[in-house]
Amino acid sequence: MTIAPPALSVFETLESEVRSYCRGWPAVFDRAQGSRLYDEDGHGYLDFFAGAGSLNYGHNNPVLKRALIDYIERDGITHGLDMATAAKRAFLESFQNIVLRPRDLPYKVMFPGPTGTNAVESALKLARKVKGRESVVSFTNAFHGMSLGSLAVTGNAFKRAGAGIPLVHGTPMPFDNYFDGTVPDFIWFERLLEDQGSGLNKPAAVIVETVQGEGGINVARAEWLRALQALCERQDMLLIVDDIQMGCGRTGGFFSFEEAGITPDIVTLSKSISGYGLPMSLCLFKPELDIWEPGEHNGTFRGNNPAFVTAAAALDTYWADGQMEKQTLARGEQVERALAAIAAESGDPGVDFRGRGLVWGLEFTDTSRASRICARAFELGLLLETSGPQSEVVKLLPALTVTPEELDEGLSVLARAVRETGASA
């Protein structure tokens, strides 16, 4: 008698091979609250992934959930394109009064579409339209999105190869400390700009992440960012800061560039701007750059009104009194102390850890170790992902609302996973 093999799950039989995170976390998740997810068998997992940075306020945050339920129950507008709605007005007023005015930021607000790459595409288009030039400079190990324009300014070779066509009009330059401090900042970049024989087309803009998330938690120094802004001003280039993952409080301040004291010409936001994991993105730019013609850049789902509702509730709840920044910086110090201890006992003299606020990376000289650590952490009930061009960095991205006790719990699991996946493991 022949016994038929067990049926494969619908995820394996029907879903595309492109799926990724589910391969490292082989569970079927069913519900979540705060910093915890639960699979359909009831097993709990502490979440140090936070929806790739989309859930800065945790899963199903009760304040945001209440605002969303109330809005849906009263039949509030769901799909609004770029029509004026009460929900959009409430968000814009909160964003202006709580975020922009206290920081003396003059930005106009554009709703370019629901995802981060939509915001980046609109920023690149606007920069080229304003300056009348095509080239945009990006940095080594950058990640800006998966659509073609965003991929052209992304560094990762694997992701770029997925485009299937040449990616043009982007020029990479060394990110901060790319040469381990042996080369003065921007000496190559500025020499190319000033040399008529360099072959570098005059760029319209420079796009940068202040902390490269997917690139390996590479943290740009404040002085490097200030020098970059000064270079852009001297050379008549616009400065675009991609704050899609590092904005909305991830590094402490609402914007990650606040610490450097710079004012970018254009800023992109997404991920946690809705607060609840609902698709939403913004492109912010100085008023003099607002030369769009009506409808010149649009998108069907740029008016996701439920996201406006939760976004306004997040701002009103967490950013009106200035406490969130202080809490995030305190939690970051807690993580830094723990990572220093883990590094000291890791058995790897080349281990490195780095970060700001509540984004941290732990890098090992054995580039395969980070993946083994994340796999073991999952077995122990902790969700972690890797980052870096070779997935060599363990990336910590807990919710900003994580408690000190939850942080200690997760960091203890991480320490155990590091011990159990050493060179002799």
Side-chain angles (χ1 to χ4, degrees), residues 301-323:
F301 294 102
R302 67 195 184 281
N304 184 359
N305 280 250
F308 299 158
V309 170
T310 55
L315 295 177
D316 295 341
T317 303
Y318 292 103
W319 291 98
D321 61 4
Q323 292 305 304

Side-chain angles (χ1 to χ4, degrees), residues 113-413:
T115 72
T117 200
N118 293 131
V120 170
E121 295 285 357
S122 67
L124 299 177
K125 284 173 64 173
L126 181 60
R128 288 167 172 143
K129 181 177 173 67
V130 168
K131 292 299 182 184
R133 309 180 205 129
E134 297 177 358
S135 176
V136 173
V137 167
S138 57
F139 291 95
T140 50
N141 292 312
F143 179 79
H144 295 291
M146 298 299 283
S147 51
L148 293 180
S150 302
L151 275 177
V153 290
T154 287
N156 187 283
F158 173 75
K159 292 182 171 64
R160 289 175 64 89
I165 61 171
L167 297 170
V168 297
H169 309 306
T171 303
M173 290 290 164
F175 190 72
D176 190 16
N177 204 39
Y178 187 72
F179 294 109
D180 300 320
T182 61
V183 177
D185 296 338
F186 306 116
I187 187 170
W188 171 244
F189 189 3
E190 193 146 31
R191 180 71 61 85
L192 290 177
L193 289 168
E194 294 175 348
D195 183 357
Q196 296 301 305
S198 71
L200 176 65
N201 293 330
K202 181 79 171 182
V206 174
I207 186 168
V208 67
E209 303 156 274
T210 66
V211 181
Q212 294 182 326
E214 301 304 310
I217 318 301
N218 305 312
V219 182
R221 293 167 296 142
E223 55 265 35
W224 187 86
L225 292 167
R226 288 192 290 269
L228 177 60
Q229 178 175 258
L231 173 61
C232 288
E233 291 172 350
R234 287 195 305 273
Q235 297 290 343
D236 186 34
M237 303 179 297
L238 297 179
L239 177 60
I240 304 169
V241 168
D242 181 342
D243 236 3
I244 287 166
Q245 188 166 101
M246 298 304 157
C248 303
R250 175 54 58 180
T251 65
F254 186 85
F255 295 105
S256 71
F257 56 80
E258 292 180 42
E259 180 189 46
I262 64 173
T263 302
D265 298 292
I266 303 176
V267 180
T268 59
L269 288 175
S270 188
K271 289 196 181 281
S272 274
I273 187 60
S274 81
Y276 203 75
L278 298 175
M280 177 180 173
S281 72
L282 303 177
C283 186
L284 315 176
F285 39 81
K286 293 179 178 177
E288 61 269 25
L289 304 180
D290 193 9
I291 63 171
W292 291 113
E293 296 290 335
E296 192 173 10
H297 184 96
N298 56 26
T300 303
F301 294 102
R302 67 195 184 281
N304 184 359
N305 280 250
F308 299 158
V309 170
T310 55
L315 295 177
D316 295 341
T317 303
Y318 292 103
W319 291 98
D321 61 4
Q323 292 305 304
M324 177 57 78
E325 179 175 356
K326 295 177 183 177
Q327 176 178 297
T328 298
L329 294 174
R331 301 282 193 273
E333 292 174 358
Q334 182 181 349
V335 175
E336 185 174 16
R337 289 192 298 269
L339 292 184
I342 291 171
E345 64 171 313
S346 68
D348 184 344
V351 70
D352 184 32
F353 64 93
R354 51 191 179 263
R356 281 176 54 197
L358 276 174
V359 54
W360 289 85
L362 188 63
E363 181 180 10
F364 297 88
T365 52
D366 176 359
T367 56
S368 68
R369 193 170 176 188
S371 294
R372 299 199 307 270
I373 289 168
C374 290
R376 180 59 180 143
F378 173 77
E379 294 172 349
L380 298 171
L382 176 67
L383 300 186
L384 292 166
E385 70 165 331
T386 61
S387 70
Q390 300 179 69
S391 298
E392 73 276 20
V393 178
V394 176
K395 182 180 181 181
L396 285 73
L397 209 67
L400 306 186
T401 52
V402 67
T403 66
E405 295 75 21
E406 288 169 333
L407 266 185
D408 279 340
E409 178 187 345
L411 292 165
S412 295
V413 172

Side-chain angles (χ1 to χ4, degrees), residues 32-54:
Q33 209 288 315
S35 288
R36 308 229 179 228
L37 289 90
Y38 300 89
D39 66 24
E40 59 185 358
D41 295 323
H43 300 127
Y45 300 84
L46 187 58
D47 186 5
F48 275 21
F49 175 65
S54 296

